[in-house]
Amino acid sequence: MAATEQPLSLAKIKWTDPKSGETKEFVLTEGATATIGRMENNDICIPEQHVSRQHAVINYRDGIFMITDLGSANGTFVNDKQLEMPFPLASGDEIRLYVPTLTFSAAVTEEDERHAQASGTFITATTNTGAGKLIITTGPQEGQVIPLLLHRVTVGRATSKANWEISLQDPSVSRPHAKLELVDHVWVISDLGSANGTIVNGTSVYEKARALHDGDLIAFGATLVLFRAG
């Protein structure tokens, strides 16, 4: 039997807890997605008051790691420049979550890998099983996690007569707004003629369905939602 192929480790993120003085190192493999925020369910948890519950996400796109702000209250900065759109990370970049600072590096040693695996900070690509969930990152429902339990769900504004599966408390969301559908173990999204559009990673989605990937950021009106696969 052939040996299981190990994922290729490509990057490392380092953060030092100012209270304990402990330095944590997170190793990211090819295809990995890492959420950063104050809540414990993040891949990289930074429990500081200036950090939003879901603050930013790093994901692997077309051979590079990109970082995107998730509508955080205090902003995400790379090399002291505030992010307004997804930004490609390079080795040595300094990521600042308003106050806490993390360092991104493309140099990963075997010792780094072993330590990350032992400490639970080894972040690999998500296996696409057809499962999925949405994490609301802005608005009154911030932090709410919505598992995608059906093969087709409709997203729309929360009203007394709403009959869609996902209701958002946002007046800029249409009634209904968009649909998500599981096709051959891949979630796809399409807009339902909404007034303010459905946007994935900064690009508008129209009636033609678009495949979703782990870590994609979806905007339904003024509401930002993070898609997690697997």
Side-chain angles (χ1 to χ4, degrees):
M1 182 181 296
T4 303
E5 197 171 308
Q6 293 294 319
L8 182 63
S9 296
L10 297 180
K12 178 175 64 177
I13 295 174
K14 185 164 65 174
W15 171 67
T16 300
D17 188 329
K19 293 182 179 178
S20 66
E22 178 188 5
T23 296
K24 294 186 177 182
E25 293 186 345
F26 302 84
V27 171
L28 278 62
T29 68
E30 183 177 9
T33 293
T35 56
I36 308 173
R38 194 174 72 241
M39 292 180 68
E40 291 184 356
N41 65 350
N42 285 283
D43 300 295
I44 300 175
C45 177
I46 310 293
E48 292 196 26
Q49 62 177 350
H50 299 97
V51 178
S52 293
R53 286 178 283 187
Q54 303 283 342
H55 198 107
V57 61
I58 295 173
N59 55 11
Y60 190 76
R61 299 184 201 165
D62 301 323
I64 55 176
F65 283 104
M66 307 282 292
I67 184 168
T68 307
D69 183 78
L70 295 176
S72 65
N74 293 315
T76 301
F77 302 76
V78 176
N79 303 328
D80 281 331
K81 183 176 181 180
Q82 186 168 3
L83 300 186
E84 297 180 357
M85 55 189 302
F87 184 85
L89 289 169
S91 190
D93 279 348
E94 186 178 271
I95 302 166
R96 183 163 58 83
L97 311 178
Y98 192 66
V99 172
T101 300
L102 302 82
T103 303
F104 179 86
S105 172
V108 183
T109 67
E110 292 183 1
E111 178 59 29
D112 291 334
E113 288 187 7
R114 287 193 294 268
H115 184 267
Q117 289 171 345
S119 60
T121 56
F122 191 67
I123 304 173
T124 61
T126 300
T127 302
N128 192 355
T129 62
K133 61 185 176 183
L134 302 177
I135 305 172
I136 300 176
T137 69
T138 61
Q141 294 163 275
E142 179 189 352
Q144 182 177 340
V145 180
I146 305 170
L148 299 174
L149 303 177
L150 304 175
H151 287 183
R152 175 175 172 158
V153 295
T154 302
V155 179
R157 189 195 314 168
T159 66
S160 59
K161 297 181 179 180
N163 61 356
W164 26 88
E165 291 77 20
I166 299 175
S167 294
L168 300 176
Q169 298 169 19
D170 179 353
S172 66
V173 171
S174 294
R175 304 174 290 177
H177 195 103
K179 69 175 180 180
L180 291 92
E181 199 166 6
L182 188 62
V183 180
D184 296 330
H185 300 290
V186 174
W187 282 98
V188 297
I189 187 169
S190 54
D191 188 77
L192 295 176
S194 64
N196 293 309
T198 301
I199 300 172
V200 177
N201 300 332
T203 302
S204 294
V205 174
Y206 299 100
E207 293 181 5
K208 185 178 179 181
R210 168 175 172 159
L212 291 173
H213 301 92
D214 187 41
D216 279 349
L217 185 62
I218 309 168
F220 301 111
T223 299
L224 293 179
V225 175
L226 182 69
F227 171 76
R228 295 306 309 262

